[in-house]
Amino acid sequence: RDLFRIALPDRGHAAAAHPVAPEAVAFARRPGRFALVIDCLDGRLAHRLDAPAGRHFYGHGAFLHGGEILATSESDFESGAGRIGLWTRSRNYARIGEIASGGIGPHDIRAWSDEVLVVANGGIRTHPDSGRAKLNLATMQPNLSYVTLSGEVLDQVQLPADLRQNSIRHLALAPDGQVAFAMQWEGEPGAATPLLGLHRRGAAPVLAAADLAEQLAMQGYAGSIAFAADGSTVGITSPRGGRLHLFDRDGGFIAAFRRADICGLAAGPAGFVATDGLGGVLQGTAAALAPLSTAERAWDNHLVAIAG
């Protein structure tokens, strides 16, 4: 059921949940310029963040240091370089600096530790003057980077040359630090490229795929990703293909479920909770994908759980 509703200035994308307080920061759909800090206890807008001159948000953020520091994925849109903006909560989310993301087009970011961010550098350059146009598909080079708050790149993973147009977009973290990443294929349509990757620092990534028919059904697009609460299972969704795919933590394919326009995905009390563009809220396990409720609205890309 709805607890509150807050209108956004424009279409939103995802949110960053504070690790302790009932608070979230909702981001503009990339490329966008606003982020709204929402008090989820009182259902009110607490602050608005605006991207500084020459920067735009890429739709995601993450809290570090117990929720004191907010990191935001951004682009220096004149140079195309990826940036991570840093904001401090105790000073009403004042901006305190920025660091390099380790690539182009940082999209999702997660706090791997209090001092280290894992960054999905999707490799795609955009510019506000061009809307959502992708400006460098012929030369894109996505990567997964582990970056300290001082800007040091501790580890970086690139895909094989034949998958360089597989944009690394979204991230999930298991309790033990294993990283899962979801990809979106920007090459020729019809390819059954893997859309899930698993990584542990210092090791090579594991790329996972379903059987050929199910992989083709995903239409080269994984929209959201999440680990189950215990980290044993990871799921990816495809709104284009109308699919939820579940894998084990080693990349073994478990199950596929059909649901039109499914995209939002988060850990739930039993497996996963998912949302779709028809207003559906669903519960997913290895055995079934079952409806929980239906709302009179179209749920968009992502679903974020809030503590408190």
Side-chain angles (χ1 to χ4, degrees):
R1 63 187 179 89
D2 289 355
L3 298 181
F4 61 84
R5 297 180 69 178
I6 292 177
L8 301 181
D10 205 339
R11 186 175 176 183
H13 185 71
H18 193 278
V20 179
E23 187 171 278
V25 183
F27 295 96
R29 192 178 195 215
R30 56 119 189 139
R33 302 298 302 275
F34 72 85
L36 304 184
V37 181
I38 298 169
D39 182 327
C40 298
L41 190 62
D42 296 331
R44 64 179 180 85
L45 177 63
H47 303 285
R48 172 173 170 147
L49 311 182
D50 292 294
R55 304 287 183 268
H56 65 68
F57 294 129
Y58 266 121
H60 289 266
F63 282 99
L64 302 95
H65 282 270
E68 173 57 22
I69 302 297
L70 173 68
T72 54
S73 55
E74 303 176 8
S75 174
D76 177 342
F77 54 72
E78 295 305 329
S79 71
R83 310 296 291 176
I84 304 296
L86 302 175
W87 316 69
T88 180
R89 181 174 182 259
S90 62
R91 290 166 47 197
N92 294 325
Y93 287 92
R95 190 176 178 93
I96 56 174
E98 63 179 51
I99 57 174
S101 75
I104 290 175
H107 193 61
D108 205 355
I109 56 178
R110 297 294 174 107
W112 191 80
S113 72
D114 258 355
E115 292 291 335
V116 179
L117 285 163
V118 57
V119 182
N121 284 302
I124 299 173
R125 183 174 179 179
T126 59
H127 193 289
D129 292 346
S130 303
R132 289 173 57 79
K134 300 166 184 176
L135 306 177
N136 67 329
L137 294 184
T139 59
M140 60 182 285
Q141 292 184 321
N143 70 56
L144 184 74
S145 293
Y146 296 79
V147 183
T148 70
L149 289 183
S150 62
E152 180 186 2
V153 177
L154 299 178
D155 196 1
Q156 191 170 81
V157 173
Q158 290 189 319
L159 300 175
D162 61 339
L163 293 177
R164 65 171 184 79
Q165 288 185 295
N166 219 11
S167 181
I168 299 174
R169 307 289 291 164
H170 293 110
L171 301 171
L173 279 177
D176 66 354
Q178 183 183 24
V179 176
F181 55 94
M183 295 170 280
Q184 296 173 6
W185 176 244
E186 300 291 347
E188 289 296 319
T193 54
L195 299 176
L196 170 67
L198 299 165
H199 185 252
R200 294 185 182 276
R201 278 192 59 193
V206 174
L207 300 183
D211 61 72
L212 180 60
E214 277 297 325
Q215 202 63 27
L216 287 169
M218 294 285 279
Q219 297 187 36
Y221 191 96
S224 290
I225 184 170
F227 271 107
D230 65 0
S232 65
T233 310
V234 61
I236 57 173
T237 58
S238 174
R240 294 182 182 178
R243 292 294 198 281
L244 167 64
H245 280 182
L246 300 182
F247 297 81
D248 65 32
R249 63 181 307 138
D250 297 318
F253 180 57
I254 297 174
F257 301 100
R258 297 185 182 186
R259 181 74 179 191
D261 204 27
I262 188 171
C263 196
L265 192 67
F272 300 89
V273 175
T275 51
D276 64 37
L278 304 176
V281 181
L282 310 114
Q283 178 174 282
T285 66
L289 180 65
L292 294 173
S293 65
T294 302
E296 293 184 357
R297 65 182 63 96
W299 300 116
D300 213 328
N301 295 93
H302 297 295
L303 178 65
V304 178
I306 307 296

